[in-house]
Amino acid sequence: MPIIDFIQISQYLTSHFKPVSGLIQLEGIDRFDIERYSLKRQKSIEITYNKRTRKLTIKGSIGYFMQGHNFTYDNSLFAEGLKIIGAHCGMDLFGFEVEIFEFGSIIHTDMAPKEIIAKHSVGDKLLAYANPKYKGYFKYFEDSNVRIKMYDVGRNPLNKLSKPIGEIVSEIGWHPKDNYLKVEAHYKRPERSFGQLSVKDLTNPDCQQIFKRDLYSQYKRLEPMKSIIYPTNKKDLSSIDIVLIELAETLINNGKSLNEIKRALYNRINSFSDEEWKKTDKDSRKRQIKARIGKLRVAENSKWDLSEELKNALFSEK
């Protein structure tokens, strides 16, 4: 399900801004003659007006403003929200320039989102950020133009909801115990990716197809960790096997092959002196290592990779 979330739009006015609605509250004026307003429905939209330059800027999530959450998206509801805000401001917002916007999709996952997020690392010319206060439920990767975000929708660490999450989930038909992960592109300089956009472009189905393709391309810049195919027989998953699998997954994601891992463990065994271990002791342990590593296989496609799930969420007809 593609979702347009946060937007920041602006326009230079020919005359000074005067709200036509008493619902737009003046929050303050700073020393640079910037007036700060808010307009609240389910959640607030921030409006700023620079008296010196006559620049009016509106920013916030239309989804939060209209319905109190950003779990679902509807083009008509998004357009209605813009019309409502515009009516309170006394102007048409659809010709405003888009300075920043977010475009994402929510994916239903089998694994816990926190686990998937942890298994994604920086890729093509990106830097990774993971604030400890989010406890692994949110992570983003960015360059100067875009920020690629991944977070657990159920935890929703970035925003406060207008009602309990369980109530919202029930209303939209989700199962409260299921896992939902959001992949989102925060376009800091959208003109570098799409050319100059106006607000009406955000609701244009042809433009949204372009946004979908770009979101998918942005996700493909990330690097899901390679994964080990676990043995299916629980007899092959002793505590020692689990430790070995964790070691192997870490090392294969640092450029080592399973054969190189085996040789490294052999070298560690050989590092013990003959006084500490006899040759028969060393050979016995090498056979155990060989047998255990021989049961491991590197998955052709990482189990952490969400490419197919994201593609289905973006492009499948519903």
Short mmCIF file of all heavy atoms in Angstrom, two decimals, residues 8 10-12 16-17 19 25-38 46-59 99:
data_model
loop_
_atom_site.label_atom_id
_atom_site.label_comp_id
_atom_site.label_asym_id
_atom_site.label_seq_id
_atom_site.Cartn_x
_atom_site.Cartn_y
_atom_site.Cartn_z
N GLN A 8 6.14 19.04 2.93
CA GLN A 8 6.43 20.45 3.19
C GLN A 8 6.29 21.18 1.87
O GLN A 8 7.00 20.87 0.91
CB GLN A 8 7.83 20.64 3.77
CG GLN A 8 8.19 22.10 4.03
CD GLN A 8 9.51 22.28 4.74
OE1 GLN A 8 9.80 21.59 5.73
NE2 GLN A 8 10.34 23.19 4.25
N SER A 10 5.36 25.09 -0.22
CA SER A 10 5.50 26.54 -0.02
C SER A 10 5.12 27.32 -1.27
O SER A 10 5.07 26.76 -2.38
CB SER A 10 6.94 26.88 0.37
OG SER A 10 7.81 26.65 -0.73
N GLN A 11 4.88 28.60 -1.05
CA GLN A 11 4.63 29.51 -2.17
C GLN A 11 4.91 30.94 -1.72
O GLN A 11 4.65 31.30 -0.56
CB GLN A 11 3.17 29.40 -2.64
CG GLN A 11 2.85 30.25 -3.86
CD GLN A 11 1.55 29.85 -4.52
OE1 GLN A 11 1.47 28.85 -5.22
NE2 GLN A 11 0.51 30.64 -4.28
N TYR A 12 5.47 31.74 -2.63
CA TYR A 12 5.66 33.16 -2.37
C TYR A 12 4.38 33.89 -2.76
O TYR A 12 3.87 33.73 -3.88
CB TYR A 12 6.85 33.69 -3.17
CG TYR A 12 8.18 33.19 -2.65
CD1 TYR A 12 8.77 32.06 -3.19
CD2 TYR A 12 8.82 33.84 -1.60
CE1 TYR A 12 9.99 31.58 -2.69
CE2 TYR A 12 10.03 33.39 -1.10
CZ TYR A 12 10.61 32.25 -1.65
OH TYR A 12 11.80 31.78 -1.15
N HIS A 16 0.30 40.00 1.74
CA HIS A 16 0.57 39.38 3.03
C HIS A 16 -0.49 38.33 3.39
O HIS A 16 -1.67 38.47 3.06
CB HIS A 16 0.67 40.44 4.12
CG HIS A 16 1.98 41.17 4.13
ND1 HIS A 16 3.19 40.53 4.28
CD2 HIS A 16 2.26 42.49 3.99
CE1 HIS A 16 4.16 41.43 4.24
NE2 HIS A 16 3.62 42.62 4.05
N PHE A 17 -0.03 37.31 4.10
CA PHE A 17 -0.89 36.20 4.50
C PHE A 17 -1.79 36.62 5.66
O PHE A 17 -1.33 37.14 6.67
CB PHE A 17 -0.02 35.01 4.92
CG PHE A 17 -0.80 33.86 5.51
CD1 PHE A 17 -1.76 33.18 4.77
CD2 PHE A 17 -0.58 33.45 6.83
CE1 PHE A 17 -2.47 32.12 5.31
CE2 PHE A 17 -1.29 32.39 7.38
CZ PHE A 17 -2.24 31.73 6.61
N PRO A 19 -4.92 34.58 7.61
CA PRO A 19 -5.82 33.43 7.69
C PRO A 19 -7.28 33.87 7.67
O PRO A 19 -7.64 34.89 8.27
CB PRO A 19 -5.45 32.81 9.05
CG PRO A 19 -4.09 33.33 9.37
CD PRO A 19 -4.02 34.69 8.77
N GLN A 25 -4.44 29.00 14.52
CA GLN A 25 -3.99 29.68 15.73
C GLN A 25 -2.57 30.22 15.55
O GLN A 25 -1.67 29.48 15.15
CB GLN A 25 -4.02 28.71 16.91
CG GLN A 25 -5.39 28.15 17.23
CD GLN A 25 -6.33 29.22 17.75
OE1 GLN A 25 -5.96 30.03 18.61
NE2 GLN A 25 -7.55 29.23 17.23
N LEU A 26 -2.38 31.51 15.87
CA LEU A 26 -1.04 32.09 15.86
C LEU A 26 -0.30 31.61 17.10
O LEU A 26 -0.73 31.85 18.23
CB LEU A 26 -1.12 33.61 15.84
CG LEU A 26 0.23 34.36 15.89
CD1 LEU A 26 1.07 34.06 14.66
CD2 LEU A 26 0.00 35.87 16.02
N GLU A 27 0.82 30.92 16.89
CA GLU A 27 1.61 30.39 18.00
C GLU A 27 2.71 31.36 18.44
O GLU A 27 3.20 31.28 19.57
CB GLU A 27 2.24 29.05 17.61
CG GLU A 27 1.26 27.99 17.14
CD GLU A 27 0.36 27.49 18.26
OE1 GLU A 27 0.70 27.72 19.44
OE2 GLU A 27 -0.67 26.87 17.95
N GLY A 28 3.12 32.25 17.53
CA GLY A 28 4.17 33.19 17.90
C GLY A 28 4.82 33.81 16.67
O GLY A 28 4.62 33.37 15.54
N ILE A 29 5.59 34.88 16.93
CA ILE A 29 6.36 35.56 15.88
C ILE A 29 7.79 35.69 16.36
O ILE A 29 8.03 36.19 17.47
CB ILE A 29 5.78 36.95 15.57
CG1 ILE A 29 4.28 36.86 15.22
CG2 ILE A 29 6.56 37.62 14.44
CD1 ILE A 29 3.62 38.21 15.05
N ASP A 30 8.76 35.23 15.56
CA ASP A 30 10.14 35.30 16.02
C ASP A 30 10.81 36.60 15.57
O ASP A 30 10.19 37.45 14.91
CB ASP A 30 10.94 34.06 15.57
CG ASP A 30 11.15 33.99 14.07
OD1 ASP A 30 11.00 35.02 13.38
OD2 ASP A 30 11.46 32.88 13.57
N ARG A 31 12.07 36.77 15.91
CA ARG A 31 12.77 38.03 15.64
C ARG A 31 13.06 38.23 14.15
O ARG A 31 13.49 39.32 13.74
CB ARG A 31 14.07 38.08 16.44
CG ARG A 31 15.08 36.98 16.12
CD ARG A 31 16.19 36.98 17.16
NE ARG A 31 17.17 35.93 16.92
CZ ARG A 31 18.28 36.11 16.21
NH1 ARG A 31 18.54 37.29 15.69
NH2 ARG A 31 19.13 35.11 16.02
N PHE A 32 12.84 37.20 13.35
CA PHE A 32 13.03 37.32 11.90
C PHE A 32 11.72 37.60 11.18
O PHE A 32 11.63 37.47 9.96
CB PHE A 32 13.67 36.05 11.35
CG PHE A 32 15.01 35.72 11.95
CD1 PHE A 32 15.13 34.69 12.86
CD2 PHE A 32 16.13 36.48 11.63
CE1 PHE A 32 16.37 34.38 13.43
CE2 PHE A 32 17.37 36.18 12.19
CZ PHE A 32 17.49 35.13 13.10
N ASP A 33 10.69 37.99 11.95
CA ASP A 33 9.35 38.27 11.41
C ASP A 33 8.71 37.05 10.76
O ASP A 33 7.99 37.15 9.76
CB ASP A 33 9.41 39.42 10.38
CG ASP A 33 9.58 40.78 11.03
OD1 ASP A 33 9.24 40.90 12.23
OD2 ASP A 33 10.05 41.70 10.36
N ILE A 34 8.99 35.87 11.31
CA ILE A 34 8.35 34.64 10.85
C ILE A 34 7.19 34.31 11.78
O ILE A 34 7.40 34.09 12.98
CB ILE A 34 9.34 33.48 10.78
CG1 ILE A 34 10.44 33.78 9.74
CG2 ILE A 34 8.62 32.18 10.42
CD1 ILE A 34 11.51 32.72 9.64
N GLU A 35 6.00 34.31 11.23
CA GLU A 35 4.80 33.98 12.01
C GLU A 35 4.58 32.46 11.98
O GLU A 35 4.67 31.84 10.91
CB GLU A 35 3.58 34.69 11.42
CG GLU A 35 3.71 36.21 11.41
CD GLU A 35 2.58 36.90 10.67
OE1 GLU A 35 1.84 36.20 9.93
OE2 GLU A 35 2.45 38.13 10.82
N ARG A 36 4.31 31.91 13.13
CA ARG A 36 4.09 30.46 13.24
C ARG A 36 2.65 30.19 13.67
O ARG A 36 2.21 30.68 14.71
CB ARG A 36 5.08 29.84 14.22
CG ARG A 36 6.53 30.09 13.82
CD ARG A 36 7.53 29.31 14.66
NE ARG A 36 8.89 29.63 14.26
CZ ARG A 36 9.52 29.10 13.22
NH1 ARG A 36 8.88 28.20 12.48
NH2 ARG A 36 10.76 29.46 12.91
N TYR A 37 1.97 29.40 12.85
CA TYR A 37 0.57 29.07 13.11
C TYR A 37 0.41 27.54 13.20
O TYR A 37 1.28 26.78 12.74
CB TYR A 37 -0.33 29.55 11.96
CG TYR A 37 -0.31 31.04 11.71
CD1 TYR A 37 0.64 31.61 10.86
CD2 TYR A 37 -1.28 31.87 12.27
CE1 TYR A 37 0.65 32.97 10.59
CE2 TYR A 37 -1.28 33.24 12.00
CZ TYR A 37 -0.32 33.77 11.17
OH TYR A 37 -0.32 35.12 10.90
N SER A 38 -0.72 27.13 13.74
CA SER A 38 -1.09 25.71 13.72
C SER A 38 -2.56 25.58 13.37
O SER A 38 -3.37 26.46 13.69
CB SER A 38 -0.80 25.04 15.07
OG SER A 38 -1.63 25.59 16.09
N GLU A 46 1.50 22.45 10.66
CA GLU A 46 2.26 23.65 10.99
C GLU A 46 2.29 24.59 9.79
O GLU A 46 2.57 24.16 8.67
CB GLU A 46 3.69 23.27 11.40
CG GLU A 46 4.56 24.46 11.77
CD GLU A 46 5.97 24.05 12.14
OE1 GLU A 46 6.15 22.93 12.67
OE2 GLU A 46 6.90 24.85 11.89
N ILE A 47 2.00 25.84 10.04
CA ILE A 47 2.00 26.86 8.99
C ILE A 47 2.95 27.98 9.42
O ILE A 47 2.84 28.49 10.53
CB ILE A 47 0.59 27.44 8.77
CG1 ILE A 47 -0.39 26.32 8.41
CG2 ILE A 47 0.60 28.52 7.68
CD1 ILE A 47 -1.85 26.75 8.45
N THR A 48 3.88 28.35 8.56
CA THR A 48 4.78 29.47 8.85
C THR A 48 4.72 30.47 7.71
O THR A 48 4.60 30.09 6.53
CB THR A 48 6.24 29.00 9.05
OG1 THR A 48 6.70 28.35 7.86
CG2 THR A 48 6.36 28.04 10.21
N TYR A 49 4.81 31.74 8.09
CA TYR A 49 4.78 32.80 7.09
C TYR A 49 5.91 33.78 7.37
O TYR A 49 6.00 34.35 8.46
CB TYR A 49 3.44 33.54 7.11
CG TYR A 49 3.40 34.72 6.17
CD1 TYR A 49 3.53 34.52 4.79
CD2 TYR A 49 3.25 36.02 6.65
CE1 TYR A 49 3.51 35.61 3.91
CE2 TYR A 49 3.24 37.10 5.78
CZ TYR A 49 3.37 36.88 4.42
OH TYR A 49 3.36 37.95 3.56
N ASN A 50 6.78 33.97 6.39
CA ASN A 50 7.89 34.91 6.49
C ASN A 50 7.42 36.26 5.94
O ASN A 50 7.23 36.42 4.73
CB ASN A 50 9.09 34.39 5.70
CG ASN A 50 10.34 35.23 5.92
OD1 ASN A 50 10.27 36.45 6.03
ND2 ASN A 50 11.48 34.56 5.96
N LYS A 51 7.22 37.22 6.84
CA LYS A 51 6.68 38.51 6.43
C LYS A 51 7.64 39.28 5.53
O LYS A 51 7.22 40.09 4.71
CB LYS A 51 6.33 39.36 7.67
CG LYS A 51 5.21 38.76 8.52
CD LYS A 51 4.92 39.59 9.75
CE LYS A 51 4.26 40.90 9.40
NZ LYS A 51 3.85 41.66 10.61
N ARG A 52 8.93 39.02 5.69
CA ARG A 52 9.92 39.76 4.89
C ARG A 52 9.94 39.28 3.44
O ARG A 52 10.09 40.08 2.52
CB ARG A 52 11.31 39.60 5.51
CG ARG A 52 11.42 40.17 6.92
CD ARG A 52 12.83 39.99 7.47
NE ARG A 52 12.91 40.40 8.87
CZ ARG A 52 14.02 40.33 9.62
NH1 ARG A 52 15.15 39.88 9.08
NH2 ARG A 52 14.01 40.71 10.88
N THR A 53 9.81 37.98 3.25
CA THR A 53 9.87 37.42 1.89
C THR A 53 8.50 37.05 1.33
O THR A 53 8.39 36.68 0.16
CB THR A 53 10.75 36.16 1.87
OG1 THR A 53 10.16 35.15 2.70
CG2 THR A 53 12.16 36.45 2.38
N ARG A 54 7.47 37.10 2.19
CA ARG A 54 6.11 36.69 1.83
C ARG A 54 6.03 35.22 1.42
O ARG A 54 5.22 34.84 0.57
CB ARG A 54 5.54 37.57 0.70
CG ARG A 54 5.31 39.01 1.10
CD ARG A 54 4.66 39.79 -0.02
NE ARG A 54 4.40 41.18 0.38
CZ ARG A 54 3.89 42.11 -0.42
NH1 ARG A 54 3.59 41.79 -1.68
NH2 ARG A 54 3.69 43.33 0.00
N LYS A 55 6.86 34.44 2.05
CA LYS A 55 6.84 33.00 1.76
C LYS A 55 5.97 32.28 2.80
O LYS A 55 6.20 32.38 4.00
CB LYS A 55 8.26 32.41 1.80
CG LYS A 55 8.30 30.92 1.47
CD LYS A 55 9.73 30.37 1.53
CE LYS A 55 9.76 28.90 1.20
NZ LYS A 55 11.14 28.32 1.30
N LEU A 56 4.98 31.55 2.30
CA LEU A 56 4.10 30.75 3.14
C LEU A 56 4.50 29.28 3.02
O LEU A 56 4.61 28.75 1.92
CB LEU A 56 2.64 30.91 2.72
CG LEU A 56 1.59 30.16 3.55
CD1 LEU A 56 1.53 30.71 4.97
CD2 LEU A 56 0.22 30.24 2.88
N THR A 57 4.74 28.63 4.16
CA THR A 57 5.16 27.23 4.18
C THR A 57 4.19 26.43 5.04
O THR A 57 3.84 26.86 6.14
CB THR A 57 6.59 27.09 4.75
OG1 THR A 57 7.49 27.89 3.97
CG2 THR A 57 7.05 25.64 4.71
N ILE A 58 3.77 25.30 4.52
CA ILE A 58 2.86 24.41 5.24
C ILE A 58 3.51 23.04 5.32
O ILE A 58 3.99 22.52 4.31
CB ILE A 58 1.50 24.32 4.51
CG1 ILE A 58 0.84 25.70 4.48
CG2 ILE A 58 0.58 23.29 5.19
CD1 ILE A 58 -0.40 25.78 3.60
N LYS A 59 3.54 22.47 6.52
CA LYS A 59 4.16 21.14 6.65
C LYS A 59 3.46 20.29 7.70
O LYS A 59 2.89 20.80 8.66
CB LYS A 59 5.65 21.27 6.97
CG LYS A 59 5.99 21.99 8.25
CD LYS A 59 7.52 22.09 8.38
CE LYS A 59 7.95 22.85 9.62
NZ LYS A 59 9.43 22.93 9.74
N GLU A 99 8.57 21.03 -1.39
CA GLU A 99 9.96 21.14 -0.94
C GLU A 99 10.48 19.82 -0.38
O GLU A 99 11.65 19.47 -0.57
CB GLU A 99 10.09 22.23 0.13
CG GLU A 99 9.81 23.62 -0.38
CD GLU A 99 10.03 24.68 0.68
OE1 GLU A 99 9.94 24.36 1.88
OE2 GLU A 99 10.30 25.83 0.31
#
